[in-house]
Amino acid sequence: MERRRVGRSGLEVSRLALGTMTWSRDTNADEAGAQLDLFLDAGGSLLDTAASYADGGAEATIGAMLGGTVERSDIQICTKAGIRRTARGGMIDASRDSMLAALDASLGRLGTDYVDVWLVHAFDGVTPLEETLHALEIAVNSGRARYVGVSNFPAWAMTRIATLATGRPAVALSQCEYSLLQRGVEREVLPAVEALGMGFMGWSPLGRGVLTGKYLDAIPADSRAASDHLAGFVEPYLDDRATAVTRALATAAEGLGWSMQATALAWVLAKEAVASTVVGARTAEQLKPSLYAETQELPAAISEALDEISAPSIGYPERR
């Protein structure tokens, strides 16, 4: 699997990252191990997780693997902090105290003394960015994180924290959703990432599973859209626009003789701005088409046609 440099930093990562959001909740330890074996055999190295995934269960699953047959040197771990569980549900909290406490808890569950990449999971509109940045600085200077970045930040906040980091460890990476169904980052995030010399990691390149085509006719009983905890996650992409894009993707995939999953992922991987993109699956069998896509090159004509049908609405002030 190809490795790509993350912006102007010294970090290199596999251009596919293995997502672990379902691990320990919808994906048991045996199935997670089978996914990781497939991923490593394909040349992948980067695992994407978060303190909030399954309330720490995903990290604990990775930690159990590291305590068994997986060598720490074989994998890169990206984890996130900044969303904590409360009696009222998840709460965004990127304060220094909360972030560092979450990092220490993550390291304990992972069974390692450092992570390769540590991200602020979401923008906190209450905590000053300077305070959040201080937590990132402490993490790097103490050796608990090799590189740091942000996730799901609007472009202005990402730019602000990156420029505040002058003279400190760099904010090296931005992670946001990016797929044929969600191209909002093209308006400001990706241009800012390029201007700042940061790297970009996409998540949900399959449009939260919708671009596999499984929802074109009905909602399968065993799908995310039918589950209590993920139905709301999928629902935004079950509208008429998403259906039109998905049907166009189905036509393209049929013409190529590829799966819809591989075609949608190949579209993302063809974007030069993307250092890595996160692929997740409930089972090892569901992961295979994504690994196949990494070896394929999408024809330019197909890529341009998909660009046109899925083009995001752009207006003032990005375009006048």
Side-chain angles (χ1 to χ4, degrees), residues 52-76:
S52 60
Y53 291 172
D55 293 331
E59 290 180 331
T61 300
I62 296 171
M65 293 176 180
L66 287 176
T69 59
V70 179
E71 295 292 333
R72 178 67 181 90
S73 58
D74 290 338
I75 63 172
Q76 297 168 300

Side-chain angles (χ1 to χ4, degrees), residues 206 258-267 289-290 292-294 296 298:
L206 302 180
W258 297 2
S259 69
M260 292 176 64
Q261 181 174 341
T263 308
L265 185 54
W267 178 87
S290 293
Y292 169 80
E294 198 277 331
Q296 304 302 303
L298 195 65

Side-chain angles (χ1 to χ4, degrees), residues 81-318:
I83 299 178
R84 60 181 176 86
R85 182 67 56 188
T86 70
R88 295 188 297 259
M91 174 182 175
I92 296 174
D93 182 357
S95 64
R96 179 173 50 243
D97 180 65
S98 180
M99 289 287 293
L100 292 174
L103 176 57
D104 288 338
S106 290
L107 293 175
R109 287 187 292 266
L110 290 164
T112 182
D113 57 3
Y114 74 96
V115 292
D116 299 273
V117 183
W118 189 45
L119 305 179
V120 186
H121 204 158
F123 172 62
D124 180 349
V126 176
T127 302
L129 285 170
E130 291 88 344
E131 180 175 333
T132 301
L133 177 60
H134 191 206
L136 300 181
E137 180 181 14
I138 291 170
V140 174
N141 289 343
S142 65
R144 285 177 278 181
R146 299 286 171 83
Y147 293 89
V148 292
V150 297
S151 179
N152 304 307
F153 268 47
W156 74 265
M158 177 195 76
T159 301
R160 178 62 177 157
I161 197 170
T163 52
L164 283 171
T166 301
R168 299 173 170 179
V171 177
L173 175 68
S174 175
Q175 185 189 80
C176 288
E177 185 174 4
Y178 189 39
S179 73
L180 282 163
L181 298 183
Q182 180 50 270
R183 294 174 59 186
V185 294
E186 294 179 8
R187 289 192 290 269
E188 291 191 339
V189 170
L190 290 182
V193 161
E194 182 179 6
L196 292 164
M198 297 171 63
F200 179 81
M201 180 189 296
W203 60 265
S204 204
L206 302 180
R208 308 186 185 190
V210 172
L211 291 171
T212 63
K214 68 173 70 175
Y215 301 113
L216 280 175
D217 300 314
I219 296 177
D222 63 346
S223 68
R224 290 180 174 182
S227 70
D228 291 338
H229 53 276
L230 287 174
F233 181 66
V234 179
E235 190 275 335
Y237 296 152
L238 298 179
D239 60 8
D240 290 343
R241 176 188 176 276
T243 298
V245 173
T246 304
R247 291 197 184 282
L249 175 68
T251 300
E254 183 178 5
L256 291 168
W258 297 2
S259 69
M260 292 176 64
Q261 181 174 341
T263 308
L265 185 54
W267 178 87
V268 173
L269 291 173
K271 303 300 181 181
E272 291 185 6
V274 179
S276 185
T277 192
V278 181
V279 292
R282 184 168 52 83
T283 68
E285 193 63 30
Q286 291 173 349
L287 180 64
K288 288 180 180 179
S290 293
L291 299 178
Y292 169 80
E294 198 277 331
T295 67
Q296 304 302 303
E297 183 173 345
L298 195 65
I302 298 294
S303 183
E304 290 168 5
L306 292 175
D307 280 347
E308 183 175 351
I309 191 65
S310 66
S313 176
I314 299 178
Y316 176 86
E318 295 88 11

